[in-house]
Amino acid sequence: MSEGAVPQKHPSAEGVHGTHGKKAGKTALAVGAIGIVFGDIGTSPLYAFRETFAGTANVAIDRMHVLGVVSLIFWSMLLVVAIQYVTILMRADNKGQGGSLALVALLSRHIGKTSYGWLVVLLGVFATSLFYGDSMITPAISVLSAVEGLTVVDPGFERFVIPIALGLLVFLFVLQKRGTAKVGALFAPVMIVYFIVIAGLGGWQIIQNPDILWALNPYYAVMFFVTDGVVAFLALGAVVLAVTGSEALYSDMGHFGRGPMRLSWFGFVMPCLLLNYFGQGAMIAGLPPEQAAEVVRNPFFLLASEEWRLPLVILATVATFIASQAVISGAFSITHQAVQMGFMPRLSILHTSETEGGQIYIPFINWALMVAVIILVLTFQNSSALASAYGIAVTGAVTIDTLLMGVLFVGVWKWKWWYAAPVVLLFLIVDGAYFAANLTKVPDGGWFPLMVGFIVFTLLTTWARGRKLMRDRMTEVALPIEIFAKSAKNSATRVPGTAIFMASQTAGVPSALLHNIKHNKVLHERVVILTVLIDDVPYVDPDKRCEYHDLGDGFYRGVLHYGFMEETNVPDGLQKMDRCGGEFDMMQTSFFLSRQTLLPSDKPGMPIWREKIFAWMLRNAATAMEFFRLPTNRVVELGSQVEI
């Protein structure tokens, strides 16, 4: 959290949700969503069905089990994605934005002062932490599974799979700093072609073996559990791969709006995916057992005839490239939210588009993800091994979202508990079963996303706790500004110009101002103590951006309000605060910042090991000058020491 930027509850702040809708029609937005949002869940057919039979569950390959698995995939997609996320949770938007952090901000606005408000925040932060593990595995497993299709074309390509996959992944991360606006224009047409192709391939197999449509009946999913209880339970760990990306749909809602995304999902993406899954099942069910055991090792690519398999591999590789791009962009957006909401230190955030504020690039996150993805590919070697690590982060986040959904029903939507309880219980049973099944994969690789999740959770909560302790300590010793203004006006020489002192609190005198008058013995003609507040809404109405108070004798206190999705551009905000004694001329304005150094405390506010982590994060945070977009030649930084 930056000096001068603190999260602030501000219920009156209004977002600007709907601006996308003014620029483009619902259909155009729905088409755009197909290219950007649905890549993760759209590329699941490459490995989800295969892993159910070829993975650790070792499901028998016969008619009953094929029908049972396809039925499980169908009902999972219907319950988890279509109903829980697309139908219910997409109604829980925070001024148009979705995702765990946006949901937490929405809930905090209504129940923040209750006895369990802190638990809601921790659950949301942990769900966000799990997302980082998912964002590392998704590019690795998606690109690997697509490139492995080359071995279906020619087994001799096997030795080239890892080098090609690594080359594509490195290129993907290098591409990020250039932005995705131009490349993004190609995403929708490519993904539409991809979905049509996989639907056509699946549909042709269904025509050959329409008996697979019996899987629409949940009876076969139930009978799978009745006859093979343990095996069916383990199979859930692979079946859930078909719904990975569901949480991302909710997180990306702000880019396109709930209406267009629902149109894309129900009108195009879901039917295409189901046709492909049913087609893979129809193909396997129609083969003799010996041949089926061979085909199930890579059924997705074997849906196509031999001469079309190489083009299918190329198309699938491009689709996984797009899916990985969306996940990386999602990691940038989530990080930006976390920084603005006070759970991460300042990071260097670069904007890659002059017109789209949401297109950002965060170098630290980009290179950290790239290193993690390379390590994953080299460690696990193939997509089947990675499938053991995949799923636990997704199911963990989905289960947490279900708990938060219960709070939403009762605390925000004001449902009676006897209405909310059965709905939440149903989804908890479904999501909890998937999570429990994935826990069995912890020894085989599931430990990785859990480890990442716990590390990120520790960092986020340590930063939030440390910043709170620092603000509390500074508030305790802060001198009231009214007293300071009266005593300082006659004790220091006034010099021409404007001095802006960035402050993390809206009360008291910032340490930079005290140090300046102590060492330099001067005050500018106009002194503005400026605080940046991050409200718990994604966007703040421009009319409510600024507020100010005239303290007399040339002293002013100003406040700039920003949403957690906005860029904190202080010079731009000051242009709208011309009532603070006149307009701000950047060439006549100096910005004074405080840089805190931590000192050991006799009574530390948190364990020493967490203090050391916090101190390390504080030292490595991006400068406030960079974060607030301050003019580089108009900044003075003064140090102070704080005990926490």
Side-chain angles (χ1 to χ4, degrees):
M1 182 50 115
S2 51
E3 177 71 22
V6 292
Q8 177 76 9
K9 292 183 179 181
H10 191 64
S12 63
E14 296 177 4
V16 293
H17 173 50
T19 56
H20 287 289
K22 295 176 183 178
K23 296 178 182 178
K26 186 175 181 179
T27 303
L29 287 171
V31 171
I34 293 171
I36 302 297
V37 175
F38 296 101
D40 190 357
I41 196 169
T43 53
S44 295
L46 273 73
Y47 46 81
F49 186 85
R50 176 194 73 198
E51 290 305 314
T52 309
F53 290 95
T56 56
N58 199 23
V59 177
I61 306 174
D62 55 40
R63 179 181 180 276
M64 188 204 78
H65 288 93
V66 170
L67 287 174
V69 167
V70 175
S71 186
L72 273 176
I73 290 175
F74 170 72
W75 286 100
S76 299
M77 197 173 290
L78 186 66
L79 287 172
V80 177
V81 186
I83 297 178
Q84 181 176 354
Y85 276 95
V86 179
T87 302
I88 297 177
L89 275 175
M90 277 192 181
R91 289 184 57 212
D93 65 294
N94 188 348
K95 303 294 183 181
Q97 295 296 319
S100 296
L101 284 180
L103 181 58
V104 165
L106 173 66
L107 295 176
S108 297
R109 199 157 69 234
H110 291 82
I111 57 111
K113 296 181 180 180
T114 62
S115 58
Y116 57 89
W118 62 273
L119 182 59
V120 168
V121 173
L122 285 183
L123 284 173
V125 172
F126 190 59
T128 301
S129 303
L130 289 173
F131 174 82
Y132 285 96
D134 183 39
S135 63
M136 294 172 184
I137 298 175
T138 296
I141 191 173
S142 298
V143 173
L144 255 182
S145 61
V147 178
E148 284 170 352
L150 290 172
T151 63
V152 177
V153 177
D154 185 344
F157 282 125
E158 185 171 357
R159 66 182 184 275
F160 299 112
V161 168
I162 291 180
I164 292 174
L166 286 175
L168 288 171
L169 288 166
V170 169
F171 174 67
L172 174 65
F173 285 101
V174 171
L175 185 70
Q176 300 305 310
K177 62 183 177 183
R178 299 185 178 276
T180 58
K182 295 180 180 179
V183 182
L186 301 174
F187 284 4
V190 171
M191 291 307 295
I192 288 173
V193 170
Y194 167 79
F195 280 117
I196 290 174
V197 168
I198 67 171
L201 292 173
W204 176 249
Q205 294 294 333
I206 294 171
I207 292 172
Q208 306 299 312
N209 188 8
D211 190 53
I212 193 67
L213 294 177
W214 284 108
L216 293 169
N217 190 338
Y219 166 82
Y220 290 96
V222 173
M223 288 306 298
F224 186 18
F225 279 92
V226 170
T227 56
D228 295 282
V230 176
V231 173
F233 174 73
L234 294 175
L236 287 178
V239 169
V240 76
L241 298 176
V243 299
T244 53
S246 52
E247 211 279 340
L249 304 185
Y250 179 42
S251 299
D252 288 334
M253 179 173 61
H255 295 293
F256 299 96
R258 94 167 56 97
M261 288 186 64
R262 285 175 174 170
L263 177 61
S264 297
W265 173 253
F266 289 110
F268 184 70
V269 176
M270 184 177 177
C272 290
L273 290 176
L274 289 176
L275 281 171
N276 190 264
Y277 283 120
F278 275 75
Q280 290 188 48
M283 178 177 66
I284 299 297
L287 295 174
E290 298 80 10
Q291 190 176 356
E294 185 67 27
V295 171
V296 83
R297 293 180 182 177
N298 216 325
F300 177 85
F301 292 105
L302 291 172
L303 285 172
S305 57
E306 189 172 349
E307 65 271 17
W308 290 104
R309 283 173 193 162
L310 183 58
L312 181 59
V313 169
I314 296 172
L315 178 62
T317 302
V318 175
T320 57
F321 195 87
I322 292 172
S324 302
Q325 168 63 56
V327 171
I328 296 167
S329 298
F332 293 159
S333 297
I334 291 292
T335 302
H336 182 234
Q337 288 186 35
V339 170
Q340 294 290 66
M341 294 177 72
F343 291 109
M344 274 192 186
R346 296 183 302 264
L347 293 173
S348 176
I349 299 176
L350 308 177
H351 288 258
T352 59
S353 172
E354 296 180 358
T355 57
E356 296 297 328
Q359 292 186 14
I360 58 176
Y361 167 67
I362 305 179
F364 174 78
I365 298 298
N366 186 66
W367 302 126
L369 287 178
M370 187 186 79
V371 171
V373 168
I374 291 173
I375 291 173
L376 282 170
V377 172
L378 293 176
T379 301
F380 288 89
Q381 296 286 311
N382 60 72
S383 59
S384 290
L386 268 171
S388 298
Y390 202 31
I392 195 165
V394 176
T395 52
V398 169
T399 304
I400 291 173
D401 283 345
T402 303
L403 295 172
L404 296 178
M405 188 171 69
V407 179
L408 173 78
F409 289 162
V410 178
V412 181
W413 292 351
K414 306 302 180 184
W415 287 19
K416 301 296 183 183
W417 70 267
W418 54 84
Y419 291 149
V423 178
V424 174
L425 186 61
L426 169 64
F427 288 114
L428 269 182
I429 291 172
V430 174
D431 300 335
Y434 282 127
F435 183 62
N438 274 276
L439 285 176
T440 63
K441 300 194 294 186
V442 169
D444 298 319
W447 56 268
F448 178 81
L450 286 180
M451 179 189 71
V452 171
F454 280 114
I455 291 174
V456 174
F457 179 77
T458 300
L459 293 175
L460 298 188
T461 53
T462 297
W463 180 257
R465 175 65 178 164
R467 283 300 298 176
K468 182 181 184 304
L469 289 171
M470 285 186 65
R471 290 196 302 270
D472 290 346
R473 297 292 187 270
M474 289 188 288
T475 300
E476 290 172 4
V477 299
L479 180 69
I481 184 62
E482 293 79 10
I483 296 175
F484 175 83
K486 290 179 181 178
S487 62
K489 66 177 182 179
N490 297 321
S491 61
T493 304
R494 304 300 285 256
V495 296
T498 298
I500 297 179
F501 293 87
M502 303 299 296
S504 60
Q505 301 292 317
T506 55
V509 181
S511 60
L513 178 51
L514 292 174
H515 285 290
N516 180 60
I517 197 170
K518 176 182 177 181
H519 296 290
N520 298 324
K521 310 266 188 317
V522 296
L523 282 173
H524 287 72
E525 287 178 336
R526 179 169 57 164
V527 176
V528 180
I529 300 172
L530 182 65
T531 301
V532 176
L533 295 181
I534 307 300
D535 297 348
D536 55 6
V537 292
Y539 301 99
V540 170
D541 190 321
D543 294 336
K544 299 177 181 178
R545 174 83 67 209
C546 312
E547 59 178 288
Y548 81 103
H549 304 282
D550 189 341
L551 304 173
D553 299 311
F555 286 85
Y556 300 87
R557 183 176 290 282
V559 179
L560 291 176
H561 292 275
Y562 290 92
F564 58 76
M565 293 293 292
E566 295 183 283
E567 177 189 10
T568 48
N569 190 323
V570 168
D572 182 65
L574 289 173
Q575 300 304 316
K576 303 174 178 62
M577 199 185 282
D578 55 3
R579 292 169 294 179
C580 268
E583 296 184 357
F584 288 90
D585 180 0
M586 288 298 109
M587 296 305 296
Q588 300 296 322
T589 300
S590 298
F591 293 88
F592 290 82
L593 308 176
S594 298
R595 176 172 285 274
Q596 290 86 16
T597 300
L598 297 185
L599 294 178
S601 174
D602 294 333
K603 296 180 179 179
M606 56 184 175
I608 296 299
W609 64 270
R610 292 189 74 185
E611 278 202 12
K612 290 182 177 180
I613 291 175
F614 177 69
W616 171 78
M617 296 174 78
L618 190 65
R619 286 195 304 270
N620 289 279
T623 64
M625 178 181 67
E626 205 176 357
F627 185 76
F628 291 124
R629 300 292 187 265
L630 303 180
T632 54
N633 59 344
R634 307 300 305 174
V635 174
V636 178
E637 198 168 55
L638 298 170
S640 62
Q641 296 177 327
V642 181
E643 288 186 0
I644 64 170

